[in-house]
Amino acid sequence: MTTTVATQGGIGTNAQRPDGALKTRGEFAYSSDLWHEDMLWGATLRSPHPHARIVSIDLTEALKVPGVYAVLTHSDVPGTNIYGLEHADQPVLAADVVRYQGEPVAVVAADHPETARRAIKRIEVAYEVLPPVVNTEDAAHGRAKPLHPNGNIVRHVKIRHGVQDVTADVVVTGEYEVGMQDQAFLGPESGLAVPAEDGSIDLFIATQWLHVDQRQVAVALGLPLDKVRLTLSGVGGAFGGREDLSMQVHACMLALHTGKPVKMVYNREESFYGHVHRHPARMYYEHGATRDGKLVYVKCRIYLDGGAYASSTGAVVANAATLGVGPYDVPSATVDCWGVYTNNPPCGAMRGFGAVQAAFAYESQMDKLAAALGIDPVEVRLRNAMSEGSVMPTGQLVDSAAPVAELLTLVRDKPMPLNGTDLTDMPGGVSNTTHGEGVVRGVGYGVGIKNVGFSDSFDDYSTVRVRLSVIGGEAVASVHTAAVEVGQGLVTVLQQITRSELGVDVVTIEPMDTSIGDAGSTSASRQTYVTGGALRAACEAVRTALYKRFGDTDLPLAQVLGTDVIDEVVEWRHRPTYRIDAETGQGNAHVQYAFAAHRAVVDVDVELGLVKVVELACAQDVGKAINPEAVLGQIHGGTAQGLGLAVMEEIQLADGKIRNPSFTDYLIPTVLDMPPMVVDVLERPDPHAPYGLRGVGEPPTISATPAIVAAIRAATGKALSRVPVRPEHITETM
């Protein structure tokens, strides 16, 4: 069967987003806009303590509030009162002990959200406050009280590569720290649970992974999977923060208990308590090199604070360890990475997933090494840059393009921006703190490596259904998948692939739900690769079915099909990955690697400690740009989050308590903070990937942070071993 490949809106074009106009006009329906006749509103009572024993819970006064339909605690959980993304270790509602500030203790359903909140305040809980465990190294090395039955270590990954205990001509060491960053998605957690007469439940939810939510909710509710149906609602950003459950089980419990639909929407403060964050890290690094700048060895210890529950800490630890020496050829590597339980807020997935923390340390070390050798910072990176054919510290061969040197050269050779003359160009901006006096310019570089897709032997696949029919005399394709659109543009990419593969102009994306097979999480920069691969395979199956049914023909597709319908479902997997060895960390852990480099130019008011990021240049290899404008959007957005971590974003904790749970006190970059960007997009195809593409979303976050901090160091001469960099770090005399 010969098909005509659609060129308008197909692969490689800047096809318009089908949701773009609605979002820009404010007409797109997000999960917080959900509504149902006669629905109730849910609210959650949370622990004020990071660590405490629950002595008693008294619901009497809450139940007296007019308009309250239900007040539920752990004893009302109909199934198993425990869940977890990787390990089931977190209670739906706390029973005997609370392990972090904000842990859910009870839930209420009422006829108005204010009524539900008033009832929450009338629940009386008596606590015996316990000392919190907040130090990661104490937790890792047995110096803290165990918070879980199996102790405080979620996972310890060891990498032993090459000859150990070697010596080098030049050695540099460093201790680095990364603060707790929030995903800061604009749409807070929200959803609507609707009970059915047969005891089943429909949940309309903003999430990143419909099927993993379904499995956890079903266990907590004590229901079979087919009685728990999830449908994706409009998602207002995610960045990893929606991989874990938040209000999913609570809303369903209340709906099943009352027999009425229940809507839950977190406010901004509750959102800070209601989802996981980026793991804070403390890292100790030692780099050894020859006198001409070739790396001899890297040794490091990395401690990641997983908070009260495991979430995806085990996988984050594996990433930080396996990617912990960076995109460099290193003959000898000794890496130990621990992820531990503490009484700090739970931490899990966030854009970059362990690679962000490690990159800040290893790139800071490369700058230190350059200074010790008297070599240009880019040059020392070029001398050690990995390439196709390099071997990772895990022993895995890098079997596709790894243009690290080319990326670095591209950003280095960009023209430098001019000095600003307007007040808005200065550190401090229109606050009029300087007109140029005390301002010093600095330039810094960073390059990073990130795995794409699920790793470490995880069965990573996606399911897609493609239906081809004739509607109104025109051939139309519909695509059904559970792959989640969180704002990244997946729905656009799915349309582009279908147009190119089937030669049709009209492509409908069906609602994403659990009535079709699993598509995995929208995370790990994987959906275009994995769901895109599944869609391509499904389209190939449609073409094969067309040929078998109609043979070769040059007739228009609509004329050939007539009243027939072609319907194909495909489950598609990428190459397998393997669990790394427990003692040596050796193994083919990842399916693909992606790379990005940044050059940052900053102006620093060294007297006040204020930073103006003047320009960011980025170069990234994407394999194949399915939608070039969307690729640029991902690079700009990922860079913005890297900038935020570099100079402003941090959840500040005091003995396990969050001090700044609001966008007033937790600062994120605005349009005034983001500088102009100069971007080079390389397309070096990966022969093992669909269309040769690489995941795009995470690499720019990884390399942006160390580049910006390196530029601030260049301007100030300060060591700056912690992010985010604060004004006092720049102005302090010691």
Side-chain angles (χ1 to χ4, degrees):
M1 177 75 188
T2 302
T3 58
T4 302
V5 176
T7 56
Q8 186 173 0
I11 291 172
T13 70
N14 292 320
Q16 289 191 352
R17 296 177 57 131
D19 57 351
L22 291 172
K23 288 180 175 178
T24 54
R25 291 198 300 261
E27 297 171 0
F28 184 82
Y30 290 96
S31 57
S32 55
D33 298 314
L34 290 165
W35 197 266
H36 196 286
E37 292 292 329
D38 198 32
M39 74 180 184
L40 302 176
W41 295 81
T44 310
L45 175 69
R46 299 179 180 275
S47 166
H49 307 293
H51 195 199
R53 187 169 290 110
I54 297 174
V55 178
S56 64
I57 304 176
D58 188 347
L59 310 178
T60 306
E61 295 303 314
L63 288 166
K64 292 179 181 178
V65 176
V68 168
Y69 281 72
V71 183
L72 307 181
T73 67
H74 66 92
S75 61
D76 300 299
V77 176
T80 304
N81 187 31
I82 195 166
Y83 71 93
L85 192 60
E86 293 184 8
H87 307 286
D89 65 351
Q90 186 164 357
V92 174
L93 293 169
D96 303 315
V97 65
V98 292
R99 294 184 175 89
Y100 71 97
Q101 181 197 26
E103 181 158 2
V105 176
V107 290
V108 168
D111 58 7
H112 192 278
E114 287 300 328
T115 303
R117 284 190 279 268
R118 283 200 303 273
I120 284 294
K121 293 178 181 178
R122 296 196 181 188
I123 299 173
E124 296 179 3
V125 183
Y127 295 98
E128 177 192 344
V129 178
L130 303 172
V133 173
V134 296
N135 185 288
T136 54
E137 293 181 60
D138 288 347
H141 298 301
R143 300 192 295 265
K145 183 178 179 179
L147 298 176
H148 289 268
N150 293 325
N152 289 331
I153 297 178
V154 179
R155 189 176 183 185
H156 172 205
V157 170
K158 296 184 282 187
I159 307 290
R160 302 293 184 266
H161 172 67
V163 178
Q164 300 291 287
D165 299 318
V166 294
T167 59
D169 298 330
V170 178
V171 175
V172 294
T173 62
E175 178 182 334
Y176 305 97
E177 189 175 350
V178 175
M180 182 183 288
Q181 187 180 18
D182 187 63
Q183 295 87 351
F185 42 75
L186 296 185
E189 293 83 349
S190 51
L192 175 69
V194 182
E197 291 183 0
D198 64 354
S200 63
I201 193 86
D202 283 281
L203 178 62
F204 301 87
I205 188 70
T207 181
Q208 287 179 243
W209 192 348
L210 287 163
H211 282 82
V212 81
D213 283 10
Q214 180 194 37
R215 291 191 285 270
Q216 293 175 91
V217 171
V219 170
L221 297 179
L223 293 175
L225 278 177
D226 62 356
K227 290 208 168 187
V228 179
R229 298 172 294 272
L230 273 67
T231 301
L232 185 71
S233 295
V235 183
F239 312 112
R242 298 188 199 268
E243 274 205 332
D244 296 79
L245 296 185
S246 56
M247 42 63 61
Q248 285 91 325
V249 180
H250 301 156
C252 291
M253 282 176 57
L254 291 168
L256 291 171
H257 187 88
T258 62
K260 290 177 173 287
V262 173
K263 178 177 179 176
M264 297 188 78
V265 182
Y266 290 177
N267 61 27
R268 182 58 58 190
E269 179 175 345
E270 188 172 18
S271 180
F272 273 94
Y273 296 110
H275 66 258
V276 298
H277 314 286
R278 189 186 299 285
H279 291 75
R282 183 173 291 276
M283 300 167 286
Y284 301 87
Y285 269 72
E286 180 179 314
H287 280 56
T290 63
R291 295 195 186 281
D292 62 357
K294 291 287 288 183
L295 287 170
V296 175
Y297 71 84
V298 175
K299 298 178 182 179
C300 65
R301 290 179 291 124
I302 302 170
Y303 298 91
L304 299 175
D305 187 346
Y309 297 104
S311 181
S312 55
T313 291
V316 174
V317 167
N319 266 17
T322 59
L323 306 175
V325 305
Y328 302 110
D329 288 328
V330 181
S332 171
T334 309
V335 180
D336 284 273
C337 184
W338 291 267
V340 299
Y341 291 117
T342 68
N343 292 119
N344 288 322
C347 291
M350 185 175 172
R351 194 178 202 162
F353 205 79
V356 166
Q357 296 91 325
F360 173 62
Y362 64 66
E363 285 299 89
S364 298
Q365 284 287 101
M366 294 302 283
D367 285 337
K368 241 182 207 185
L369 183 61
L373 293 165
I375 297 175
D376 176 79
V378 174
E379 180 58 33
V380 78
R381 288 170 168 85
L382 293 176
R383 293 181 188 182
N384 295 283
M386 67 163 48
S387 58
E388 185 172 357
S390 290
V391 176
M392 294 291 293
T394 60
Q396 183 173 12
L397 179 73
V398 179
D399 60 1
S400 65
V404 177
E406 185 177 3
L407 298 173
L408 283 164
T409 303
L410 281 168
V411 295
R412 180 196 62 189
D413 293 346
K414 286 283 180 287
M416 285 291 177
L418 300 175
N419 290 321
T421 56
D422 189 79
L423 196 60
T424 57
D425 298 326
M426 299 294 165
V430 294
S431 59
N432 201 26
T433 54
T434 180
H435 289 262
E437 59 277 11
V439 174
V440 181
R441 176 156 290 188
V443 179
Y445 297 88
V447 63
I449 179 173
K450 176 65 175 64
N451 64 308
V452 174
F454 296 153
S455 303
D456 210 17
S457 80
F458 194 95
D459 185 17
D460 193 5
Y461 68 93
S462 185
T463 312
V464 171
R465 177 181 185 177
V466 175
R467 188 174 189 269
L468 188 62
S469 62
V470 176
I471 300 176
E474 185 173 11
V476 174
S478 69
V479 177
H480 189 195
T481 174
V484 169
E485 169 67 63
V486 297
Q488 82 278 34
L490 177 65
V491 290
T492 317
V493 166
L494 296 180
Q495 289 182 324
Q496 290 179 261
I497 291 173
T498 307
R499 290 185 190 118
S500 289
E501 291 291 338
L502 296 182
V504 298
D505 292 321
V506 181
V507 180
T508 301
I509 308 299
E510 301 295 329
M512 296 156 175
D513 58 29
T514 53
S515 69
I516 189 169
D518 200 347
S521 174
T522 293
S523 60
S525 304
R526 65 178 286 280
Q527 283 294 10
T528 302
Y529 189 128
V530 184
T531 297
L535 176 56
R536 182 177 70 166
C539 289
E540 289 172 352
V542 168
R543 292 203 307 270
T544 299
L546 277 167
Y547 179 79
K548 286 181 178 179
R549 195 174 301 185
F550 303 109
D552 250 332
T553 176
D554 290 324
L555 292 173
L557 188 54
Q559 187 175 338
V560 172
L561 268 176
T563 59
D564 280 33
V565 174
I566 306 293
D567 199 325
E568 297 289 340
V569 179
V570 169
E571 186 177 277
W572 185 87
R573 287 168 168 81
H574 58 60
R575 293 183 295 166
T577 60
Y578 300 92
R579 186 83 169 178
I580 56 174
D581 183 82
E583 293 303 316
T584 65
Q586 299 301 289
N588 290 351
H590 304 301
V591 69
Q592 187 187 63
Y593 297 99
F595 307 90
H598 277 84
R599 183 192 71 189
V601 180
V602 305
D603 284 341
V604 182
D605 185 331
V606 295
E607 297 173 354
L608 296 178
L610 301 178
V611 176
K612 173 74 174 181
V613 182
V614 175
E615 183 191 80
L616 288 166
C618 179
Q620 181 170 338
D621 174 28
V622 304
K624 170 65 179 177
I626 303 296
N627 186 311
E629 283 189 352
V631 165
L632 287 175
Q634 287 295 308
I635 293 173
H636 280 256
T639 298
Q641 285 188 307
L643 183 152
L645 179 60
V647 295
M648 63 182 75
E649 290 191 49
E650 182 180 9
I651 293 177
Q652 303 210 13
L653 301 173
D655 295 324
K657 291 188 175 183
I658 298 178
R659 299 175 60 199
N660 57 333
S662 73
F663 281 171
T664 301
D665 300 309
Y666 181 91
L667 303 180
I668 59 176
T670 70
V671 67
L672 294 178
D673 299 298
M674 271 300 290
M677 285 195 67
V678 183
V679 179
D680 283 305
V681 175
L682 274 65
E683 296 183 272
R684 306 288 184 265
D686 178 352
H688 311 286
Y691 309 111
L693 64 83
R694 292 182 193 279
V696 174
E698 293 173 284
T701 301
I702 296 164
S703 53
T705 300
I708 293 167
V709 178
I712 301 172
R713 286 195 199 105
T716 63
K718 301 287 186 178
L720 302 178
S721 59
R722 187 188 191 281
V723 288
V725 176
R726 301 176 189 159
E728 61 266 30
H729 299 155
I730 295 170
T731 58
E732 61 190 2
T733 55
M734 295 297 293

